[in-house]
């Protein structure tokens, strides 16, 4: 992500995966002007209209600067493009904060992006965005309209010699504009650099498309690259490539010959004050060039910015190699960086550095080497926290409840956190630090550790009960409405002991679900010990149902459990493929399922229908809803005992948002709850989403997207994997 200067006095830069760059005459392509009043922005939740140094940035993947000194950043954590004016005020110019692909032909502020990376601006003030996980290049015109200029949206390779809009890309990480309006693309996971000419025709200019190293001193189109990231052009038309997987900077001359400019392939640090070709780099992610032909490298895993002068000598201009934040410093080489990611040249003779895991954008004077923070307050948010739910990254969302204020609370299992989605759609963490464990009892839930929280329950006082692992056993912890977490049940040992005594001393084999009744009692379903146990208000535990009480003729494996206002107990039995009910008077009956491990019978009596491994249950107005994880459906049993389809086609996948739920695809719907308006909210677990079915039967996503896991959103990869994509 670099900025390309076109003619006299123009500055070139490059950057990687995230960098934006200095461009020719760009005053802000899409916002029309920097005079837009902050109060007119609808994005107050991300700090628009505030000093840029006061906002939380977390992950930034690209940076650029225009001739007027406006700084543009690719704000990956918020799926937005932001602008910082010369007076230090930040605003949003593209992206609505949700993850996805939408908005072409309309205002860029209303469009959905998907992990935006490199940026560049052309001589007509068009802003180009490497919309990485959409596998597209997007353009924002000076009047703020967004369109796609390259990519089909499907990861792949093809289309050379034809229209760029018909050519597949694969995780493009950077873009750069040339003096004639041509657009260069770092087609990262295709291991190529591609070019779009002014007529919109795409071609490959470097890379055979297989990962590796080779081809120096020959034609670049026959060379081998490995996950190229940032790219840049200099004033002579040379193209520079941060060849990350090869730990090198490569250079392609205007006549198409490729050489190595820096790096000897070793993932290490060394070589300062010597020839750059003999130096060591560690995952360089960006490169830029100033108008004196000095080349700057974001030497990411060395936590340094390196410089190659016109004689080819490499030095460190910023970074100590240590990661501890030591503040802004008058001497850049004594200022620590933490995974510097992207670079840009500022027209005021400064170098801009995305200090990624210090959560800041910083500037370095190229004359006096003084360091200053220009954006970011050093704090971070967790995978979308503080923004719209659809922009958040989830990892196996599981249990779900709703409090008295209509906040949706759910267990983000593999992130070891509980998260909250407010009625206005903003997501935050309300329990768990992300550290695995059982620490923090008696203190704030936000400071406590959890280990794979699975299911939740909530009582009428808004106390939340969370189940999580502890070694080989299980515990239940209670979070008060005031946010204090305490030990509620479970000794962390496997077993079924403890009935008649304090719940904190009881053992469990496998807690599959918990629920509360209107009296505040907590019911615990243990599928392995084949029992349902009750924890009273006095904190003592006893058994209310086991296989000896269930005349089902099959093994009893209670999965989900719920209690109605009359005290009747409902449970789904994954072992017998049935739904059972224990009345408040002790009467037991089967209300759904024949015991066959099949799905059939919609429109008829539920007791004559096949229900395959029923899971989560929810009850509203006498109608029982049940989730079938393996067949990716949600069904309901009405008051007359008739079963029918609520959602899902039976095909495990993701589709159907904004349409009828019965035509949608899901992947392991797990637990469900109704909000106070009658909408059914459920965790679409293996799609890493929270979804809603409204009272008209229309399905939508409230939180989460298709990207997941720490390798996508994490701040640091602590292992060295040469083939990491």
């Amino acid at each position: 992500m670099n900025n390309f200067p076109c003619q006299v006095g123009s500055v070139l830069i490059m950057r990687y995966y995230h960098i934006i760059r200095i461009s020719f005459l760009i005053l802000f392509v899409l916002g029309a002007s920097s005079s837009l009043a902050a109060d007119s922005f609808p994005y107050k939740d991300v700090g628009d209209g505030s000093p840029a140094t006061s906002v939380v940035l977390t992950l930034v993947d690209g940076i650029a600067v225009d001739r007027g000194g406006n700084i543009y950043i690719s704000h990956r954590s918020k799926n937005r493009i932001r602008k910082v004016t010369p007076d230090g005020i930040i605003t949003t110019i593209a992206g609505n904060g949700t993850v996805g692909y939408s908005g072409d032909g309309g205002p860029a502020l209303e469009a959905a992006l998907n992990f935006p990376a490199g940026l560049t601006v052309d001589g007509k003030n068009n802003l180009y965005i490497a919309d990485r996980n959409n596998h597209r290049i997007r353009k924002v015109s000076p009047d703020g309209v967004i369109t796609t200029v390259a990519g089909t949206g499907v990861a792949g390779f093809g289309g050379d010699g034809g229209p760029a809009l018909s050519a597949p890309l694969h995780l493009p990480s950077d873009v750069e504009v040339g003096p004639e309006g041509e657009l260069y693309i770092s087609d990262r996971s295709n291991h190529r650099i591609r070019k779009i000419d002014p007529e919109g025709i795409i071609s490959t200019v470097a890379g055979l498309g297989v990962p590796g190293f080779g081809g120096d001193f020959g034609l670049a189109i026959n060379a081998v690259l490995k996950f190229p990231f940032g790219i840049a052009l200099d004033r002579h038309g040379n193209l520079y490539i941060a060849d990350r997987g090869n730990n090198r900077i490569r250079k392609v001359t205007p006549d198409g010959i490729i050489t190595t400019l820096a790096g000897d392939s070793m993932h290490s640090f060394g070589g300062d004050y010597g020839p750059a070709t003999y130096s060591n780099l560690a995952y360089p992610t960006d490169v830029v060039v100033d108008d004196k032909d000095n080349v700057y490298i974001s030497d990411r895993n060395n936590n340094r910015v390196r410089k190659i002068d016109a004689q080819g000598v490499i030095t460190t201009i910023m970074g100590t190699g240590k990661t501890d934040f030591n503040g802004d410093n008058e001497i850049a080489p004594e200022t620590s960086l933490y995974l510097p990611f992207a670079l840009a040249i500022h027209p005021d003779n400064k170098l801009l550095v995305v200090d990624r895991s210090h959560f800041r954008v910083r500037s370095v004077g190229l004359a006096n080497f003084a360091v200053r923070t220009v954006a970011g307050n050093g704090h971070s948010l967790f995978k979308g926290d503080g923004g719209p739910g659809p922009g958040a990254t989830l990892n196996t969302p599981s249990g779900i409840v709703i409090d008295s204020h209509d906040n949706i609370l759910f267990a983000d299992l593999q992130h070891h956190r509980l998260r909250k989605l407010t009625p206005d759609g903003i997501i935050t963490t309300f329990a768990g630090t992300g550290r695995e464990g059982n620490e923090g009892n008696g203190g704030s839930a936000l400071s406590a550790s959890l280990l794979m929280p699975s299911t939740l329950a909530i009582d009428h006082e808004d106390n939340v009960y969370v189940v999580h692992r502890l070694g080989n056993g299980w515990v239940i912890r209670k979070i008060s409405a005031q946010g204090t977490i305490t030990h509620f049940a479970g000794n962390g040992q496997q077993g079924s002991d403890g009935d008649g005594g304090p719940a904190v001393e009881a053992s469990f084999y496998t807690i599959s679900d918990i629920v509360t009744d209107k009296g505040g009692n907590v019911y615990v379903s243990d599928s392995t010990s084949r029992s349902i146990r009750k924890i009273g208000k006095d904190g003592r535990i006893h058994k209310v149902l086991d296989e000896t009480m269930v005349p089902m003729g099959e093994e009893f494996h209670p999965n989900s459990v719920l209690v109605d206002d009359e005290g009747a107990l409902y449970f789904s039995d994954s072992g017998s493929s049935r739904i059972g009910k224990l009345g408040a008077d002790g009467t037991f009956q089967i209300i759904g399922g024949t015991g066959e491990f099949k799905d059939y019978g919609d429109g008829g009596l539920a007791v004559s229908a096949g229900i395959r491994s029923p899971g989560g249950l929810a009850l509203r107005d006498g109608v029982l809803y049940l989730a079938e994880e393996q067949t990716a459906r949600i069904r309901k049993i009405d008051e007359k005992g008739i079963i029918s389809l609520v959602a899902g086609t039976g095909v495990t996948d993701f589709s159907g948002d904004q349409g009828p739920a019965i035509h949608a695809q899901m992947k392991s719907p797990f637990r469900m709850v109704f909000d106070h308006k009658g909408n059914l909210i459920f965790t679409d677990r293996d799609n890493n989403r929270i979804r809603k079915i409204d009272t008209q039967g229309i399905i939508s996503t409230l939180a989460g997207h298709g990207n997941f896991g720490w390798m996508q959103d994490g701040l640091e990869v602590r292992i060295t994997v040469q083939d990491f994509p």
Side-chain angles (χ1 to χ4, degrees):
M1 315 160 194
N2 311 316
N3 276 18
F4 177 84
C6 284
Q7 295 174 309
V8 183
S10 43
V11 187
L12 288 147
I13 55 196
M14 358 188 111
R15 64 195 82 60
Y16 150 67
Y17 197 15
H18 308 330
I19 256 170
I20 291 183
R21 67 217 51 187
I22 292 189
S23 201
F24 209 39
L25 2 84
I26 76 185
L27 168 58
F28 155 138
V29 280
L30 134 267
S33 83
S34 53
S35 63
L36 201 53
D39 287 344
S40 67
F41 278 83
Y43 300 115
K44 287 294 188 179
D45 64 294
V46 292
D48 277 348
S50 304
T53 52
S54 71
V55 303
V56 177
L57 294 179
T58 310
L59 299 183
V60 172
D61 277 12
I63 187 169
V65 188
D66 66 21
R67 178 183 287 178
N70 296 295
I71 300 169
Y72 302 85
I73 61 175
S74 214
H75 194 177
R76 166 176 152 179
S77 296
K78 294 293 186 181
N79 289 288
R80 292 179 166 110
I81 307 302
R82 317 289 297 279
K83 181 179 80 166
V84 180
T85 60
D87 59 356
I89 302 301
I90 193 168
T91 54
T92 297
I93 63 172
N96 61 16
T98 62
V99 173
Y101 173 71
S102 67
D104 272 3
L109 283 168
E110 298 177 7
L113 307 173
N114 195 342
F115 286 9
L119 309 174
T120 193
V121 180
D122 68 14
K124 297 179 181 179
N125 287 350
N126 296 297
L127 173 69
Y128 295 88
I129 305 165
D131 195 357
R132 193 191 72 171
N133 284 23
N134 276 326
H135 311 292
R136 291 175 166 99
I137 305 298
R138 315 280 291 273
K139 180 177 83 170
V140 181
S141 65
D143 58 357
V145 175
I146 191 168
T147 54
T148 295
V149 298
T152 63
V154 177
F157 174 75
D160 275 359
L165 281 169
S166 301
L169 305 174
H170 195 179
L171 298 174
S173 60
D174 201 8
V175 283
E176 175 70 302
V177 66
E180 305 302 323
E182 65 273 28
L183 193 67
Y184 293 82
I185 303 168
S186 181
D187 197 356
R188 188 187 79 174
S189 292
N190 277 324
H191 313 287
R192 289 176 164 94
I193 308 299
R194 304 175 78 179
K195 182 177 79 171
I196 305 173
D197 68 18
E199 284 72 46
I201 303 302
I202 195 170
S203 60
T204 294
V205 297
L208 278 174
V210 293
F213 174 74
D216 272 2
F217 306 106
L219 290 174
I221 56 173
N222 297 326
V224 183
L225 308 174
K226 191 173 185 180
F227 300 115
F229 268 60
I231 55 176
L233 292 168
D234 68 14
R235 58 181 175 164
H236 310 292
N238 297 298
L239 174 69
Y240 298 81
I241 305 166
D243 193 357
R244 190 190 77 168
N246 284 317
N247 297 303
R248 288 176 163 96
I249 302 299
R250 314 284 288 274
K251 176 182 175 181
V252 181
T253 62
D255 56 357
I257 302 300
I258 192 170
T259 55
T260 292
L261 179 70
D264 64 357
S265 84
M266 288 187 62
H267 184 278
S268 183
F269 172 74
D272 272 2
Y273 304 105
T277 51
Y278 291 97
S279 66
N280 308 133
L281 306 174
Y283 281 178
T285 50
D286 204 13
V287 58
V288 295
V289 187
D290 67 18
D291 58 1
K292 296 179 181 178
D293 297 333
N294 296 301
V295 177
Y296 301 89
I297 303 166
S298 182
D299 194 359
R300 192 191 76 163
N301 283 25
N302 279 325
N303 298 300
R304 291 173 166 93
V305 175
R306 316 279 290 275
K307 173 186 173 182
I308 305 172
D309 64 19
Q311 286 70 48
V313 175
I314 192 169
T315 54
T316 294
I317 69 158
M318 186 178 187
T320 63
K322 299 179 180 179
T323 59
D324 292 340
F325 180 73
N326 63 354
D328 290 340
N329 202 301
E330 292 184 358
I331 304 176
E334 296 181 2
T335 302
S336 65
L337 299 171
Y338 195 178
L339 300 180
F341 204 74
L343 307 172
I345 301 290
H346 194 284
D348 291 344
N349 198 31
K350 297 174 183 176
L351 178 70
L352 295 175
V353 181
V354 172
D355 192 358
R356 198 171 190 232
S357 290
H358 281 148
F359 317 119
R360 289 172 165 89
V361 176
R362 306 171 83 177
S363 74
V364 181
L366 294 179
N368 60 12
F369 296 100
V371 178
R372 182 173 70 91
T373 295
V374 297
N377 62 9
H379 298 295
S380 64
L381 292 172
F382 171 75
K383 296 182 182 290
D385 274 359
T393 300
L394 313 180
N395 202 342
T396 320
S398 298
I400 187 167
V401 295
I402 289 186
D403 68 15
S404 61
H405 305 290
D406 249 10
N407 295 302
I408 299 169
L409 313 175
F410 65 92
D412 198 351
L413 184 143
Q414 295 199 59
H415 285 147
H416 313 290
R417 288 173 164 89
L418 305 185
R419 302 179 78 177
K420 177 171 74 174
L421 193 64
T422 62
D424 58 357
I426 302 302
I427 192 169
T428 56
T429 293
F430 82 93
T433 62
R435 187 176 63 251
E436 302 175 17
N438 188 46
E439 292 79 28
N441 285 328
S444 169
L446 279 169
S447 301
S449 60
L450 305 171
L451 176 57
M452 301 181 72
S454 54
T455 59
L456 304 179
I458 192 168
D459 63 24
H460 290 287
E461 297 176 352
D462 280 347
N463 298 302
V464 175
Y465 303 83
V466 54
V467 172
H468 70 79
R469 297 299 299 266
L470 179 60
N472 292 324
W474 298 80
V475 293
I476 302 173
R477 296 166 81 181
K478 176 181 176 181
I479 303 171
S480 70
Q482 293 72 40
T484 299
I485 190 168
T486 53
H487 182 198
F488 180 75
N491 59 16
Q493 302 297 315
Q494 282 198 328
S496 57
D497 299 330
D499 280 348
V504 293
E505 298 177 4
S507 55
F508 300 93
Y509 277 110
T510 304
I511 300 179
S512 52
D513 203 6
I514 55 174
V515 70
T516 63
D517 64 18
K518 64 180 181 180
N521 301 295
V522 177
Y523 295 78
V524 184
S525 175
D526 189 332
S527 59
T528 302
S529 68
R530 304 173 186 174
S531 65
I532 296 174
R533 299 159 84 181
K534 175 181 175 180
I535 303 171
K537 293 287 286 184
D538 59 0
R540 304 184 76 81
I541 188 169
H542 67 276
K543 194 173 295 180
V544 295
L545 191 66
D546 65 20
E547 59 182 348
T548 66
M549 309 173 194
V550 181
M552 300 177 74
E554 303 284 348
E555 288 190 350
F556 172 59
H557 293 279
N559 192 340
S560 185
V561 60
L562 65 81
V563 183
D564 67 17
D565 288 342
E566 305 303 320
L569 183 71
Y570 299 78
F571 63 91
S572 59
D573 186 345
S574 56
S576 70
S577 293
R578 290 184 169 102
I579 307 296
K581 177 182 178 182
L582 181 67
D585 59 359
T587 302
F588 181 85
Q589 61 178 316
I590 300 297
I591 61 172
T594 62
E596 288 190 83
F597 194 64
K598 296 178 180 179
D599 267 311
Y600 62 85
D602 282 351
L605 290 173
V607 291
S608 301
I611 302 174
R612 184 178 176 184
S613 291
L617 300 177
L619 187 67
R620 184 173 179 84
D621 297 331
V623 178
L624 182 69
Y625 293 74
L626 58 112
E628 298 179 32
E629 293 178 51
Q630 296 191 30
T631 51
R633 288 183 170 98
I634 296 174
R635 301 163 83 182
K636 69 180 179 181
I637 302 172
D638 67 18
E639 293 178 288
K640 296 180 180 180
I642 303 299
I643 192 168
S644 58
L645 182 66
V646 174
T649 63
V651 176
T652 300
D653 207 333
F654 173 77
S655 70
D657 271 3
Q658 315 309 323
I662 58 173
H663 297 152
Q665 293 173 325
M666 302 176 292
K667 193 181 290 186
S668 296
F670 188 66
R671 294 292 183 261
M672 306 177 292
V673 67
F674 280 94
D675 67 15
H676 297 117
K677 296 179 181 178
N679 301 302
L680 180 65
I681 316 297
F682 68 97
T683 51
D684 193 354
R685 189 172 60 179
D686 291 351
N687 275 322
N688 293 297
R689 289 172 165 90
I690 306 298
R691 300 176 81 178
K692 178 181 80 171
I693 302 171
D694 68 17
T695 55
Q696 305 303 311
I698 303 301
I699 193 169
S700 59
T701 292
L702 298 180
H705 49 75
N707 305 313
F708 69 94
W710 63 271
M711 293 187 78
Q712 290 270 7
D713 245 9
L715 306 181
E716 177 179 12
V717 178
R718 293 184 178 273
I719 56 175
T720 298
V721 184
Q722 291 291 334
D723 291 328
F724 177 64

